[in-house]
Amino acid sequence: MEKNAPNIIELQNISRVFDDNGYVAVQDFNLTIGRGEFVTFLGPSGCGKTTTLRMIAGFDLPTSGQILLNGEDITRLAPNKRPINTVFQRYALFPHMNIFDNIAFGLKLKKISREEIIRKVKRVLDLVDLEGFEDRSVATLSGGQQQRIAIARALVNEPQILLLDEPLGALDLKMRKEMQLELKAMHERLGITFIYVTHDQEEALTMSDKIVVMSNGKIQQIGAPEDIYNEPINAFVADFIGESNIFKGIMTGEKKVRFCGGEFLCMDDVPEGTLVDVVVRPEDVILTGAEEGTISGKVTDVIFKGIHYEITVESGKYEMVIQSTKTPKVGDTVGMDLEPDGIHIMIAEDHITRFEAAVTGDYQLDYNGRIIHCDLTTVIPGARRQGEVLVDGSGQVIDPSRLRVHVSIEPGDIQMSDDVEAGLTRGHIINLIYKGDHYCYVVRTEHGHDLIVDDEYLWNMGDMVGLILPQEKMTFSLKK
Ligand code: ADP
Ligand code: MG
């Protein structure tokens, strides 16, 4: 085998479609992993992490694409022929065997002398900090110790690559934190390649050299933890990594962006009129006096988090989560500001205006007292109608007062009218941008929400207009 290839593993255009249901679990996955790297696959449950790992291990075959190991095609090579071992979330130790036999199990199948096996088992027990545990029974070990034995059992084969599929998922938080640091130290001592799977962003940020963020079987972003955290490539990554506030916004000038009811200077030079997603990290929001900020709002929640407070501020229709060492009180009015480098601009993938609606007792949407008709059984997974009420998959009545629904509509589907009572809501034009064949307006509604509206006619700044939002053009999703 060519041990000098610069990359140990290359996944080229890997896809996996399950025959039985046609489900595309992994789609056009391209990744190179350097020798000795600690790479983490990070994404929500069901995004294809385990499927990808199983293909690397050889337990599953890709529908298309190639897997190279040290430059050689191993796509169809049997698992036991690959210098790769896997640690699973469930330790899968043999309960009736002692620790020595558990670890030596794989070696006994190979033709290795007794002395050599004893030496190898001792070595890996030292590695996982359980020296002298050979004769102990599995039942006497804690969850963390059992998982270390499972790691020792994988390491005893001296793999070039260790695959770890949510290995700490079954441990309690304190043990998990400890094991994260131990695994990281182990990786440095061993110098082999680790491919780690988790849905826990904090774990991924702590441990990895490189993170592969996945969603729906596709790679969203590959990068070092700092890059992924500071420069998320889209709203999914921003939302998934770390806490963030995400707003729909619009570029209103050179390095100027309007969102969350205010206009801010930013670093990104995106053309005027571009609809954008804006990410603001809670630690980047500066609390000011009520009158001094670019925007202001009312404190609705303050939680002590150890080193800082997590403060929720309601500003018109928007909500901003802030981390600060200042301690305003619930009900206080505060000002908020942002430095240009605290604003992350991403070009919006969908040109959509979005707002939130409450749900009435008879399961209709309520937007500031106006009713929007919507079939909630198509919005809430598993919900169905039972007489007057909606029930969930397990037959429980769904409480409408606890539901919030996001309503989305394209800016071009909203009509503006002289008749301020004509539509769902009304507001003042606070911004207008000419976009070649139409104008793009920002209309601040009487309830303090900025809606983006495309219209071919020229209106004036400050005009009060009625906004007609046709129900058949709306799409609905449940607020999580
Ligand atoms: P993750 O590990 O990220 O939680 P998986 O790789 O286990 O996700 O699964 C990805 C998707 O593929 C899931 O929606 C899952 O239901 C589906 N899936 C996994 N294995 C099979 C299978 N053998 N047949 C059909 N669908 C599968
Ligand atoms: Mg999984």
Side-chain angles (χ1 to χ4, degrees):
M1 229 177 262
E2 231 258 86
K3 294 257 169 75
N4 297 324
N7 295 311
I8 190 160
I9 281 274
E10 274 179 61
L11 303 181
Q12 298 178 337
N13 308 103
I14 294 290
S15 293
R16 177 68 171 105
V17 184
F18 288 107
D19 296 336
D20 41 337
N21 53 4
Y23 188 81
V24 184
V26 176
Q27 199 178 344
D28 201 23
F29 200 99
N30 285 284
L31 179 69
T32 50
I33 297 178
R35 198 175 302 285
E37 258 188 321
F38 194 128
V39 177
T40 299
F41 294 170
L42 172 67
S45 173
C47 74
K49 304 182 295 295
T50 295
T51 305
T52 308
L53 219 56
R54 284 171 54 79
M55 293 188 286
I56 296 174
F59 301 130
D60 196 4
L61 295 180
T63 311
S64 58
Q66 261 95 48
I67 302 175
L68 306 187
L69 174 84
N70 298 313
E72 281 180 27
D73 191 339
I74 57 153
T75 316
R76 286 168 194 280
L77 192 67
N80 59 352
K81 299 265 160 50
R82 305 182 186 203
I84 299 175
N85 280 90
T86 310
V87 179
F88 300 97
Q89 177 174 341
R90 309 172 126 270
Y91 334 118
L93 300 179
F94 303 113
H96 56 282
M97 290 184 192
N98 68 14
I99 302 304
F100 179 89
D101 289 335
N102 260 285
I103 295 174
F105 185 76
L107 296 180
K108 286 178 179 165
L109 303 175
K110 300 177 184 171
K111 291 203 175 77
I112 303 178
S113 71
R114 177 81 186 161
E115 297 78 70
E116 174 128 27
I117 292 179
I118 292 173
R119 217 166 33 75
K120 281 180 187 282
V121 170
K122 183 178 179 331
R123 180 178 156 268
V124 291
L125 277 175
D126 286 353
L127 263 173
V128 299
D129 248 350
L130 292 177
E131 45 278 280
F133 269 57
E134 282 88 342
D135 296 330
R136 298 274 292 265
S137 81
V138 171
T140 65
L141 304 188
S142 71
Q145 288 172 330
Q146 289 190 32
Q147 194 55 310
R148 279 191 257 170
I149 298 297
I151 293 166
R153 192 171 62 177
L155 290 177
V156 84
N157 297 304
E158 292 164 29
Q160 293 180 33
I161 303 174
L162 188 65
L163 306 180
L164 302 109
D165 193 352
E166 314 230 12
L168 310 183
L171 305 179
D172 65 42
L173 183 65
K174 189 160 167 285
M175 180 53 86
R176 201 153 72 222
K177 297 262 176 221
E178 261 175 59
M179 283 293 290
Q180 284 173 10
L181 299 178
E182 276 190 39
L183 273 173
K184 183 107 185 97
M186 222 181 278
H187 170 255
E188 267 153 38
R189 274 205 305 276
L190 287 165
I192 64 170
T193 307
F194 277 34
I195 307 179
Y196 193 92
V197 160
T198 182
H199 63 268
D200 179 343
Q201 45 101 2
E202 209 180 303
E203 191 162 290
L205 290 171
T206 318
M207 302 179 77
S208 325
D209 299 324
K210 184 152 99 186
I211 297 176
V212 180
V213 185
M214 297 173 61
S215 150
N216 286 325
K218 280 189 254 173
I219 297 179
Q220 299 292 320
Q221 188 168 4
I222 302 173
E226 295 82 3
D227 299 340
I228 300 235
Y229 188 85
N230 292 326
E231 293 298 330
I233 202 165
N234 59 32
F236 173 83
V237 177
D239 195 24
F240 199 74
I241 305 278
E243 290 242 16
S244 46
N245 300 284
I246 301 179
F247 305 99
K248 294 275 174 200
I250 183 165
M251 299 305 293
T252 49
E254 206 188 315
K255 298 190 182 178
K256 252 196 245 165
V257 59
R258 171 170 282 287
F259 65 95
C260 195
E263 190 171 60
F264 298 86
L265 292 174
C266 62
M267 312 274 282
D268 307 75
D269 203 358
V270 176
E272 183 174 345
T274 308
L275 296 186
V276 292
D277 290 322
V278 182
V279 174
V280 175
R281 298 291 186 196
E283 64 269 28
D284 289 336
V285 183
I286 304 159
L287 280 176
T288 67
E291 305 296 322
E292 289 137 39
T294 304
I295 52 176
S296 67
K298 206 164 154 185
V299 176
T300 57
D301 201 25
V302 179
I303 305 168
F304 181 54
K305 288 273 188 171
I307 20 183
H308 59 255
Y309 292 84
E310 189 177 281
I311 302 149
T312 308
V313 178
E314 207 173 83
S315 174
K317 276 270 157 191
Y318 305 95
E319 197 177 84
M320 183 82 90
V321 176
I322 303 167
Q323 281 175 9
S324 173
T325 49
K326 293 186 184 164
T327 55
K329 286 188 213 45
V330 171
D332 284 358
T333 299
V334 293
M336 290 169 280
D337 234 327
L338 287 161
E339 295 287 342
D341 65 2
I343 295 170
H344 305 283
I345 304 280
M346 295 166 300
I347 299 195
E349 282 156 18
D350 47 354
H351 279 227
I352 269 184
T353 289
R354 198 163 86 149
F355 57 91
E356 212 179 291
V359 177
T360 64
D362 53 355
Y363 301 95
Q364 294 303 323
L365 302 187
D366 175 352
Y367 182 68
N368 301 311
R370 301 271 184 136
I371 295 298
I372 302 170
H373 296 287
C374 156
D375 180 2
L376 282 179
T377 58
T378 63
V379 177
I380 308 168
R384 61 200 149 83
R385 194 159 265 289
Q386 200 172 79
E388 298 284 285
V389 297
L390 288 190
V391 295
D392 64 16
S394 58
Q396 289 275 347
V397 174
I398 298 169
D399 177 4
S401 69
R402 301 181 55 178
L403 296 175
R404 308 283 293 173
V405 173
H406 283 305
V407 182
S408 302
I409 186 163
E410 289 191 29
D413 287 332
I414 304 178
Q415 290 156 37
M416 302 210 283
S417 167
D418 285 328
D419 177 0
V420 297
E421 299 297 334
L424 187 67
T425 184
R426 60 185 173 184
H428 285 103
I429 294 175
I430 59 165
N431 205 283
L432 80 88
I433 296 156
Y434 183 57
K435 284 185 129 180
D437 57 350
H438 68 274
Y439 297 87
C440 181
Y441 297 92
V442 181
V443 180
R444 172 149 316 158
T445 69
E446 55 190 337
H447 302 285
H449 189 208
D450 293 350
L451 291 179
I452 294 164
V453 182
D454 286 344
D455 197 285
E456 57 188 303
Y457 299 108
L458 178 60
W459 299 73
N460 294 313
M461 287 288 281
D463 279 357
M464 178 75 160
V465 292
L467 294 177
I468 301 165
L469 288 72
Q471 279 175 25
E472 68 276 11
K473 303 282 191 190
M474 295 179 180
T475 56
F476 306 100
S477 63
L478 199 61
K479 188 185 174 193
K480 54 178 182 182

